[in-house]
Amino acid sequence: MAQETESPARMAWALTGSGHFFAETLELIDSLEGQVDIFLSGAGEEVLQQYGYDLKEIRARHRVFRDNAASSPPVGLFYYGHYHTVVIAPATSNTVAKCVFGISDTLVTNIFAQAGKCRIPSVVFACDSAPHHWTEAPGGTVSVYPRQVDLENTEKLRAFEATEVVTDLASLQSAVRARARTEDAHA
Ligand SMILES: Cc1cc2nc3c(=O)[nH]c(=O)nc-3n(C[C@H](O)[C@H](O)[C@H](O)COP(=O)(O)O)c2cc1C
């Protein structure tokens, strides 16, 4: 693993196993061309394929880290200034719950925890923010009724230090672009 500081620092974008605004999220990543490395949860990698995306094509445009080691070695990069921001988008209820309870047993929950310990800001696009929403499943649009525990976890995450929780696509776009602009100005 490279240990030297990388300049300018980049955005670390975690894709979890949620299909919520998945296509729009990938478009947003590509619109920030050259600035984003992608971190996939195991489920994120599967969901990517289920929505018809080819990991090889994504790899041609971005550095991609897969969740294939127990200790999540890429988190070391956060200690050497490689990343200015962590974005978890879309974030499953599973990943949000683990983050809220301080669990870091996957690549994505690890980068959230380590970013926190390095005081690197995070933006989390939590899918479960209202008692009902529509989402695009591989077979078409479906209705989702998040449980009370899912809604409560989203609220609890808002109280975390250096963490911005967004719950719609427009807010995700503006939060991410604001982080990119801030870092461009510092570069
Ligand atoms: C096509 C598909 C779409 C999914 N979309 C969601 C979703 O929008 N929100 C969610 O919480 N889980 C969703 N799941 C379930 C998660 O992938 C599953 O809970 C997984 O264990 C999450 O792991 P991760 O949080 O490590 O990515 C989806 C699963 C599939 C197969």
Side-chain angles (χ1 to χ4, degrees):
M1 184 196 319
Q3 302 272 292
E4 299 81 25
T5 301
E6 189 172 65
S7 184
R10 303 156 69 79
M11 197 169 272
W13 196 298
L15 290 173
T16 68
S18 165
H20 200 52
F21 289 106
F22 203 78
E24 293 83 352
T25 299
L26 287 176
E27 279 169 23
L28 179 56
I29 291 172
D30 281 339
S31 76
L32 301 161
E33 204 175 320
Q35 298 181 45
V36 180
D37 291 351
I38 295 177
F39 293 73
L40 288 171
S41 74
E45 189 167 340
E46 290 176 11
V47 164
L48 194 68
Q49 285 163 16
Q50 290 182 34
Y51 282 83
Y53 293 95
D54 183 349
L55 187 53
K56 276 194 203 133
E57 284 175 16
I58 293 174
R59 280 206 136 123
R61 300 193 297 278
H62 301 278
R63 197 184 305 170
V64 176
F65 295 96
R66 298 166 71 200
D67 196 352
N68 53 14
S71 60
S72 298
V75 297
L77 299 171
F78 290 81
Y79 286 83
Y80 293 95
H82 284 237
Y83 298 106
H84 58 69
T85 307
V86 165
V87 181
I88 307 180
T92 58
S93 49
N94 175 60
T95 287
V96 169
K98 286 184 178 182
C99 291
V100 163
F101 285 94
I103 295 169
S104 43
D105 65 349
T106 63
L107 179 60
V108 174
T109 53
N110 253 307
I111 67 169
F112 179 75
Q114 301 306 325
K117 293 178 188 184
C118 295
R119 296 191 167 163
I120 296 168
S122 291
V123 176
V124 181
F125 180 25
C127 312
D128 292 339
S129 59
H132 172 249
H133 65 83
W134 298 93
T135 199
E136 210 53 48
T141 308
V142 295
S143 226
V144 182
Y145 299 94
R147 304 162 301 171
Q148 193 60 30
V149 66
D150 304 318
L151 301 175
E152 284 171 11
N153 284 336
T154 298
E155 285 311 305
K156 283 180 185 162
L157 197 61
R158 289 186 197 280
F160 271 53
E161 57 269 60
T163 302
E164 182 173 0
V165 175
V166 294
T167 53
D168 60 74
L169 186 64
S171 304
L172 173 67
Q173 289 165 336
S174 66
V176 163
R177 292 201 172 114
R179 287 295 313 145
R181 270 197 308 275
T182 303
E183 292 305 318
D184 281 351
H186 290 162

